[in-house]
């Protein structure tokens, strides 16, 4: 019998993080500047979240927006941000480093993973900029990271669903594949069924200019937005129901 399907809310405010906690999300990825893809949040925000939430707080480690090829000075800063998150009591960090040719920088990413312990580590969507996702998966596994957050190398998780399913099979339990990027309430169940994953990630932000379905995307398209309790509760309900459907389909014995 499969376990539950987990949801991580990408939160760029203390308010959004508290909503995630109150509505039963499994954990929070804390960041700021989501409109630019997310950067490391202020230490005060990390401390506040750790002190006020009952669910694990994972902190994005990204010193600036833009690419994921970092200078020696930026790499040192990332280590400092990891140590600060650890001292603040974070349960995990979210990070990733690439080489100039777009491949995973296994050496420096592994060094950051080692710096992070005993916290848990997610390799983030820098992965989606790599030229070969299947080769990149092996590089990420070699870093020792616990989760891989990805849209399957595509613009969103719907377009990347086939690749995501292949990545999950290739991972074969060596790392947890978490889908994120362009996830919406209207495609949540479709994506979970197509990929077979047990971890999903999104910001659930509603754009102020749009009254339609909230984007669960971490792509930065939902600037000037808010997270609503009813949306987080709906995601958790849908995931519980989908886990129940899958369990009902498992053969007896």
């Amino acid at each position: 019998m499969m376990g539950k399907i987990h949801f991580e809310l990408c939160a760029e405010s203390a308010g959004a993080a508290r909503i995630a906690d109150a509505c039963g999300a499994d954990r929070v990825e804390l960041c700021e500047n989501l409109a630019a893809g997310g950067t490391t949040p202020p230490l005060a925000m990390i401390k506040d979240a750790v002190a006020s939430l009952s669910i694990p707080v994972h902190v994005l480690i990204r010193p600036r927006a833009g690419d994921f090829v970092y200078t020696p000075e930026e790499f040192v800063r990332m280590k400092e941000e990891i140590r600060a998150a650890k001292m603040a009591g974070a349960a995990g960090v979210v990070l990733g480093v690439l080489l100039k040719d777009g491949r995973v920088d296994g050496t420096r990413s592994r060094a950051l993973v080692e710096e992070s312990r005993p916290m848990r580590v997610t390799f983030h969507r820098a992965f989606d900029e790599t030229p070969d996702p299947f080769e990149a998966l092996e590089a990420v596994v070699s870093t020792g990271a616990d989760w891989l957050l990805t849209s399957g190398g595509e613009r969103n998780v719907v377009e990347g669903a086939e690749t995501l399913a292949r990545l999950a099979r290739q991972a074969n339990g060596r790392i947890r594949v978490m889908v994120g990027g362009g996830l919406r309430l209207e495609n949540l169940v479709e994506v979970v069924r197509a990929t077979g994953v047990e971890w999903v990630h999104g910001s659930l932000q509603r754009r102020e200019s749009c009254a339609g379905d909230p984007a669960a995307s971490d792509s930065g398209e939902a600037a000037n937005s808010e997270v609503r309790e009813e949306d987080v509760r709906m995601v958790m309900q849908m995931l519980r129901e989908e886990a129940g459907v899958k369990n009902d389909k498992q053969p007896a014995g």
Side-chain angles (χ1 to χ4, degrees):
M1 179 177 292
M2 73 170 285
K4 66 179 289 187
I5 304 172
H6 303 81
F7 176 64
E8 174 183 80
L9 182 77
C10 181
E12 63 174 344
S13 70
R18 284 191 284 270
I19 288 173
D21 191 15
C23 296
D26 295 284
R27 74 184 195 205
V28 164
E29 181 199 309
L30 201 65
C31 69
E32 70 170 357
N33 197 20
L34 191 54
T39 54
T40 306
L43 183 57
M45 184 190 298
I46 300 171
K47 290 180 176 179
D48 177 67
V50 169
S52 61
L53 303 186
S54 64
I55 58 177
V57 175
H58 287 217
V59 177
L60 177 63
I61 304 298
R62 190 183 180 201
R64 57 162 173 77
D67 65 31
F68 302 98
V69 181
Y70 297 109
T71 66
E73 293 77 16
E74 289 170 335
F75 187 66
V76 169
R77 181 179 169 188
M78 293 173 79
K79 287 187 173 183
E80 292 171 346
E81 290 174 342
I82 288 170
R83 289 193 287 269
K86 188 186 303 186
M87 290 294 293
V93 288
V94 184
L95 52 83
V97 183
L98 301 182
L99 298 167
K100 291 182 179 180
D101 63 6
R103 293 181 298 120
V104 171
D105 186 335
T107 300
R108 294 211 289 176
S109 295
R110 187 181 306 109
L112 294 181
V113 171
E114 292 171 355
E115 185 74 44
S116 302
R117 298 306 186 194
M119 295 186 295
R120 309 302 294 274
V121 180
T122 300
F123 194 100
H124 58 45
R125 289 189 60 204
F127 178 89
D128 292 320
E129 298 190 8
T130 60
D132 183 338
F134 306 105
E135 176 186 53
L137 175 62
E138 297 304 320
V140 172
V141 168
S142 74
T143 69
D146 305 290
W147 283 270
L148 167 63
L149 173 62
T150 173
S151 63
E154 299 293 345
R155 172 173 64 173
N156 58 62
V157 290
V158 174
E159 294 179 11
E162 181 178 348
T163 297
L164 286 164
R166 291 180 61 191
L167 287 169
R169 290 193 297 270
Q170 181 179 332
N172 194 30
R174 295 175 296 159
I175 190 171
R176 298 177 181 92
V177 175
M178 176 163 51
V179 302
L183 195 70
R184 296 177 178 272
L185 291 178
E186 65 185 8
N187 64 33
L188 176 64
V189 172
E190 171 193 351
V191 169
V192 169
R193 290 181 179 177
T195 61
V197 301
E198 295 183 15
W199 281 86
V200 295
H201 164 106
S203 66
L204 290 182
Q205 291 189 328
R206 285 183 180 267
R207 289 181 291 273
E208 290 180 351
S209 60
C210 177
D213 179 62
S217 174
D218 56 349
S219 63
E221 296 176 354
N224 301 317
S225 57
E226 63 177 346
V227 177
R228 299 184 183 180
E229 287 192 21
E230 60 264 32
D231 294 333
V232 182
R233 293 190 189 280
M234 177 61 70
V235 166
M236 300 312 299
Q237 178 182 335
M238 293 168 72
L239 293 180
R240 284 194 298 270
E241 291 175 353
E242 183 59 20
V245 168
K246 289 189 176 184
N247 284 333
D248 288 343
K249 291 180 179 179
Q250 294 294 316

